Amino acid sequence: MVHNILRKYGIRGGDHDQHFLVDERILDRIVEAADIQPHETILEIGAGIGNLTERLMKRAKKVVAIERDPALVDVLRDRFGDDGRLEIIPGDVLEVEFPAFDKVVSNLPYSISSEITFKLFRHDFRLGILMYQYEFAQRMVAHANSEDYSRLSVNAHYFADASIIMKIPRGAFSPPPEVLSAVVRLEPRPAPFEVADREYFLHFVTAVFGQRRKKIRNSIIRNKQLLGIDIRDFVDEIPQEMLDRRPENLEPEELARLANILYAHKQNT
Ligand code: SAM
């Protein structure tokens, strides 16, 4: 069926992150994991030929599907055109404004996973069931002191409980991608530690993870312009053992403590 659709609409597939999920069992498991209630609005990013969309529409009050490829927008319109439960937003997910939604369920375009995830973190929603490249998913759920721990892990931990719930083989897609995939369950919740200023904390995390293997003291000093403060003026007030570690060895709450100290001094100068 995928091949017929692709041929009919002149879509090559494999380009622009276009790997369509065709394994019925996995499609069903993704929708099950989303636990969709009849009053909910679901956001789907990169709806493709609509295999996931169709299942989401059966359960939700409304599905809002964002799709950039005009040929795939035509497929979605032909397939579900007059069904009032579907709203199609043609365009680039990074440029369109997200509507209000309860849950986001998507097989994402992998080349912009990071940008999409950081955009999602700026919205209010109850649950995300999201397909990523496996390595990206691992970075998202990584803990301090591991190879995969990164700016992404700290952001994910700040915004949500994140866990890998399924590892997906290449053969579940048509055409098969070159990489393994994983489905991540993302449940937004209040941060489990105190942050004096959210934007400053996120900015701090981005700055120090630019040099994750340097002692954090050096990253902070090197980024003094960006962070708006020179810690050499008040270095005695910061626990030295924290400054001697590398960003990759600091827990998210320890990074928040440091960002809070810097922010307080910045406010007082
Ligand atoms: N959801 C479909 C499925 O599971 O079969 C398709 C998933 S495919 C991995 C990703 C989809 O995202 C493709 O349909 C592609 O055209 C679309 N896409 C790629 N970049 C996009 C962007 N910047 N904005 C919106 N959609 C995009």
Side-chain angles (χ1 to χ4, degrees):
M1 143 145 163
V2 185
H3 300 293
N4 292 344
I5 293 180
L6 298 187
R7 204 171 310 116
K8 180 172 164 203
Y9 289 86
I11 301 158
R12 285 228 311 276
D15 291 351
H16 309 301
D17 293 309
Q18 288 175 347
H19 299 277
F20 305 105
L21 185 57
V22 290
D23 186 309
E24 306 262 336
R25 217 172 41 92
I26 293 172
L27 281 159
D28 287 341
R29 282 176 61 199
I30 288 175
V31 177
E32 283 300 323
D35 187 26
I36 296 169
Q37 304 301 311
H39 60 273
E40 288 179 332
T41 296
I42 308 298
L43 177 67
E44 188 187 2
I45 297 166
I49 55 172
N51 286 354
L52 189 55
T53 321
E54 181 180 43
R55 285 169 167 79
L56 299 172
M57 285 167 65
K58 282 193 181 131
R59 305 213 179 184
K61 179 173 169 210
K62 186 176 172 188
V63 176
V64 181
I66 301 173
E67 176 53 60
R68 185 183 62 177
D69 186 332
L72 290 169
V73 170
D74 284 346
V75 175
L76 294 168
R77 288 206 171 114
D78 284 358
R79 211 168 155 183
F80 312 112
D82 48 6
D83 192 317
R85 287 169 300 178
L86 178 66
E87 178 188 340
I88 302 171
I89 302 184
D92 185 334
V93 59
L94 301 180
E95 281 167 19
V96 302
E97 207 169 301
F98 287 174
F101 61 98
D102 299 293
K103 294 177 179 170
V104 51
V105 184
S106 306
N107 171 17
L108 295 172
Y110 294 167
S111 68
I112 49 170
S113 295
S114 215
E115 293 88 336
I116 295 175
T117 306
F118 284 109
K119 181 167 178 175
L120 281 171
F121 284 153
R122 300 203 165 267
H123 288 77
D124 257 344
F125 60 96
R126 294 200 15 244
L127 184 71
I129 302 293
L130 300 166
M131 177 93 76
Y132 290 104
Q133 182 171 338
Y134 182 60
E135 285 78 8
F136 186 92
Q138 279 182 310
R139 283 203 288 125
M140 215 162 156
V141 304
H143 294 288
N145 304 310
S146 72
E147 190 56 32
D148 291 326
Y149 187 59
S150 62
R151 167 187 175 227
L152 175 69
S153 331
V154 178
N155 273 263
H157 186 71
Y158 176 65
F159 287 106
D161 283 328
S163 55
I164 294 179
I165 56 170
M166 287 176 236
K167 196 170 163 183
I168 312 289
R170 298 166 60 242
F173 302 87
S174 175
E178 279 173 14
V179 296
L180 286 178
S181 301
V183 178
V184 170
R185 183 179 194 278
L186 203 60
E187 190 170 354
R189 47 127 177 79
F193 46 84
E194 208 183 311
V195 165
D197 183 271
R198 170 184 144 136
E199 290 312 314
Y200 192 79
F201 168 64
L202 298 177
H203 191 60
F204 174 81
V205 171
T206 305
V208 297
F209 271 97
Q211 293 144 325
R212 66 198 293 270
R213 291 184 200 280
K214 278 202 170 25
K215 282 186 182 170
I216 199 158
R217 176 201 316 273
N218 298 335
S219 315
I220 295 174
I221 293 172
R222 194 181 276 246
N223 282 300
K224 62 180 189 297
Q225 232 105 39
L226 213 71
L227 295 170
I229 192 97
D230 190 340
I231 53 160
R232 284 172 292 193
D233 299 338
F234 56 93
V235 74
D236 296 344
E237 296 172 35
I238 307 178
Q240 296 306 298
E241 68 80 28
M242 269 170 104
L243 290 178
D244 284 338
R245 280 146 71 196
R246 299 165 173 172
E248 61 184 6
N249 302 123
L250 286 154
E251 298 290 341
E253 40 273 56
E254 293 176 309
L255 291 163
R257 253 178 79 198
L258 277 177
N260 291 347
I261 297 172
L262 265 63
Y263 184 72
H265 275 274
K266 188 169 145 359
Q267 292 302 92
N268 290 332
T269 51

